[in-house]
């Protein structure tokens, strides 16, 4: 099997509560939302594994951002850059699936590039649903996105069904962050040199941030991300 970035997401709705978990090479996090069927009443985030010493502080921003928000409006609450973007994204997923019956699991895999080319896919509940091919950050396949870069995919994603759009956004996001596997650790361990795209990299946080976790390569691991969950 070719080396690859792996991510798993599991969303588990229950009566009045929904939990979402994410695990990948760099992160293992959990969000629990309590709700009354319409509005989020309580938010709890947990950093099980995070790359920076300052990441756990983002759980406070998460609670402030989503508490009191309508489930149907969670995707538009804003303030993503003040949050941990990974906690933020799974909180949005949790809200979107809060009224579901059974759990939902996503498994994503993005191969390391060979001569600039790589393949990536997403499976939902064990069924592979999308496979894309990319070369030098431009997509070759499927035909609907051929020639597009990450920032040009918005109109195509908006044309999809809600379920397919959700998967496309997840796969695009993983395609972007997976590039970190090709960056030497010493070049991605100074938070002051990274743009302020999340909680840890904001002024006042980045000066204090210390790298505490490296890359966990699931390609060679005995267990995959979130193994044992639905």
């Amino acid at each position: 099997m070719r080396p690859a970035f792996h991510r798993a997401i599991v969303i588990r709705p229950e009566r009045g509560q929904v939990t979402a978990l994410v695990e990948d090479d760099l992160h293992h996090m959990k969000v629990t939302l309590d709700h009354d069927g319409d509005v989020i009443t309580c938010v709890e985030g947990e950093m099980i594994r995070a790359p920076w010493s300052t990441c756990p502080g983002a759980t406070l921003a998460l609670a402030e951002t989503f508490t009191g928000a309508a489930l149907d409006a969670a995707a538009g609450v804003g303030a993503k850059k003040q949050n941990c973007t990974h906690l933020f994204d799974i909180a949005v997923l949790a809200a979107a699936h809060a009224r579901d019956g059974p759990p939902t699991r996503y498994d994503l895999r993005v191969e390391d590039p060979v001569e600039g080319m790589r393949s990536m896919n997403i499976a939902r509940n064990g069924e592979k649903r999308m496979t894309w091919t990319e070369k030098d950050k431009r997509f070759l396949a499927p035909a609907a996105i051929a020639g597009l870069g990450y920032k040009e995919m918005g109109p195509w994603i908006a044309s999809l069904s809600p379920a397919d759009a959700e998967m496309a956004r997840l796969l695009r996001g993983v395609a972007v962050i997976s590039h970190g596997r090709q960056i030497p650790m010493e070049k991605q361990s100074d938070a002051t040199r990274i743009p302020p795209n999340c909680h840890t990299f904001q002024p006042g946080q980045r000066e204090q941030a210390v790298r505490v976790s490296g890359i966990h390569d699931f390609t060679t691991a005995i267990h995959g991300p979130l193994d044992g969950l639905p």
Side-chain angles (χ1 to χ4, degrees):
M1 183 179 293
R2 281 179 55 174
F5 180 97
H6 295 78
R7 168 173 278 197
I9 300 168
V10 172
I11 309 143
R12 299 187 292 190
E14 301 176 24
R15 184 180 179 89
Q17 186 179 86
V18 56
T19 300
L21 299 98
V22 61
E23 186 176 16
D24 60 33
D25 293 28
L26 297 166
H27 314 92
H28 188 184
M29 302 174 180
K30 178 181 179 181
V31 170
T32 302
L33 304 182
D34 292 343
H35 63 89
D36 62 7
D38 295 304
V39 173
I40 299 168
T41 58
C42 184
V43 182
E44 183 177 348
E46 182 180 356
M47 299 279 190
I48 302 165
R49 176 167 52 91
W52 298 91
S53 61
T54 48
C55 290
T59 58
L60 296 176
L62 186 82
E64 292 173 358
T65 299
F66 286 97
T67 301
L71 290 171
D72 294 338
V77 295
K80 186 171 182 176
K81 290 185 178 181
Q82 281 66 53
N83 278 266
C84 164
T85 56
H86 308 283
L87 281 180
F88 185 99
D89 287 343
I90 62 170
V92 169
L93 281 175
H97 292 265
R99 304 184 188 96
D100 288 0
T104 298
R105 179 180 177 115
Y106 289 115
D107 289 281
L108 302 99
R109 180 176 179 271
V110 182
E111 292 180 348
D112 291 351
V114 176
E115 297 182 352
M117 184 174 292
R118 60 186 188 162
S119 178
M120 61 195 72
N121 60 69
I122 181 170
R124 177 172 174 150
N125 297 332
E127 178 186 355
K128 192 177 293 185
R129 299 294 297 272
M130 292 182 178
T131 299
W132 301 348
T133 304
E134 174 203 300
K135 181 174 175 61
D136 298 329
K137 300 183 181 180
R138 292 275 168 181
F139 290 100
L140 302 178
I145 58 173
L148 298 182
Y150 306 128
K151 295 182 179 180
E152 300 158 358
M153 299 176 70
W156 174 72
I157 292 175
S159 74
L160 302 175
S161 69
D164 285 349
E166 180 173 275
M167 288 186 285
R169 286 192 295 268
L170 292 174
L171 189 53
R172 178 180 62 177
V174 168
V176 172
I177 65 173
S178 64
H179 286 292
R181 285 174 57 88
Q182 279 69 60
I183 301 173
M185 187 57 64
E186 63 270 17
K187 291 187 176 182
Q188 54 173 302
S189 296
D190 182 354
T192 64
R193 301 176 61 185
I194 300 175
N197 294 326
C198 73
H199 168 83
T200 280
F201 304 139
Q202 294 297 322
Q205 296 291 334
R206 60 187 178 188
E207 295 84 2
Q208 312 299 322
V210 176
R211 193 69 187 245
V212 294
S213 177
I215 294 174
H216 186 106
D217 193 346
F218 283 102
T219 302
T220 57
I222 297 175
H223 301 292
L226 297 183
D227 269 6
L229 293 177

